Structures are given as C-alpha cells and as structure tokens.
Amino acid sequence: MQGVYVLAHFSCEQTRISGAIMSAVLAIVALAGTVISARAVQRGAGAEWTDAQGGGPRTFMAWLGVGSGVLFALVIANQFAASLMISPCLR
C-alpha cells in the first residue's frame, strides 16, 4: 500500500493505472506464497519435525503462512479496488 501511495503523485501526472498494476502484481505474489504454504500443509510434517506429543510445528507454520497469505491478498485486493475507483489526483 505504501508503494501505491508513493506512485500516486506520478499517477496523477501520467495515468491512473500504475497503482492498479502494482496492486495486481503484489496480490499475485501474496497468492503465490499462499500456494507454497498450502503445498507444505499437504505434505505434512516429516519425522524430524514431529515433537514428543505428536504435534507438528512445520504444519502449524504452513497453516500460518496460508492464513497470512490470504489475509495479505485480501488487503491488497481492497487497495486494488480503491485505486480503480478513486482518482489519485484527489488531495
């Protein structure tokens, strides 16, 4: 979001699309991280990561990565929608 705010001044002079493009690219990056974490969840924890009580810290961290990736993608999508509807020239 900070990058979109930095680009707002330049977007006003040339085109409104630069913030939208940046938001779309960053949403794809966040979703790619979500997919990587989801693949780690599917594989499960290896024997070296299983503790004495049968828990799996690797699986927990993978689920945490999935949740964070989805949350970040939703926030970026919200900023993307705002950059499409609101002119960056408004002050």
Side-chain angles (χ1 to χ4, degrees):
M1 286 187 351
Q2 295 300 321
V4 172
Y5 293 148
V6 168
L7 290 175
H9 176 69
F10 302 110
S11 296
C12 185
E13 295 173 359
Q14 297 174 357
T15 180
R16 292 176 35 168
I17 303 299
S18 63
I21 291 171
M22 185 174 182
S23 294
V25 168
L26 292 176
I28 290 170
V29 169
L31 290 174
T34 302
V35 169
I36 291 169
S37 294
R39 289 183 62 205
V41 168
Q42 288 177 347
R43 282 187 256 166
E48 69 274 7
W49 288 97
T50 305
D51 65 0
Q53 285 90 20
R58 180 173 183 247
T59 305
F60 171 74
M61 291 304 293
W63 275 115
L64 190 64
V66 169
S68 298
V70 168
L71 181 66
F72 290 144
L74 287 174
V75 170
I76 293 169
N78 187 22
Q79 180 67 32
F80 176 67
S83 68
L84 289 178
M85 290 188 254
I86 300 171
S87 173
C89 299
L90 295 176
R91 295 180 190 247

